Amino acid sequence: MALAEMKNFPSIPVKVSINEYIDISKTYSTPKSKQFVNGLLDVMSKKLTESGEIRKSGRGLLDNK
């Protein structure tokens, strides 16, 4: 869900998406899951940004052209 949000909602910053899903993992999973979710989403967001699949634009965001 976080990856879909990162790719399909250009006005939501990547860090906001990651933080939302870390909070969800704290509520619905084990205490250590937040570290796993954070690491996974961080690596995936970097790879998708480098490949051009994540493009963010809008107020307070850098445009990826």
Side-chain angles (χ1 to χ4, degrees):
M1 288 181 357
L3 294 175
E5 185 175 299
M6 288 182 220
K7 291 173 74 173
N8 296 314
F9 294 91
S11 63
I12 300 174
V14 171
K15 297 224 180 247
V16 171
S17 297
I18 291 173
N19 287 335
E20 287 175 357
Y21 290 94
I22 289 171
D23 286 341
I24 290 170
S25 73
K26 288 178 190 177
T27 302
Y28 294 104
S29 195
T30 65
K32 290 187 177 184
S33 65
K34 65 182 178 184
Q35 295 165 331
F36 174 74
V37 170
N38 184 35
L40 181 69
L41 292 178
D42 187 49
V43 169
M44 291 300 299
S45 69
K46 287 177 184 174
K47 287 186 179 188
L48 292 172
T49 300
E50 289 172 1
S51 71
E53 291 186 55
I54 293 179
R55 294 173 186 252
K56 298 292 181 175
S57 62
R59 185 176 175 162
L61 298 170
L62 296 174
D63 289 349
N64 294 346
K65 295 181 182 179

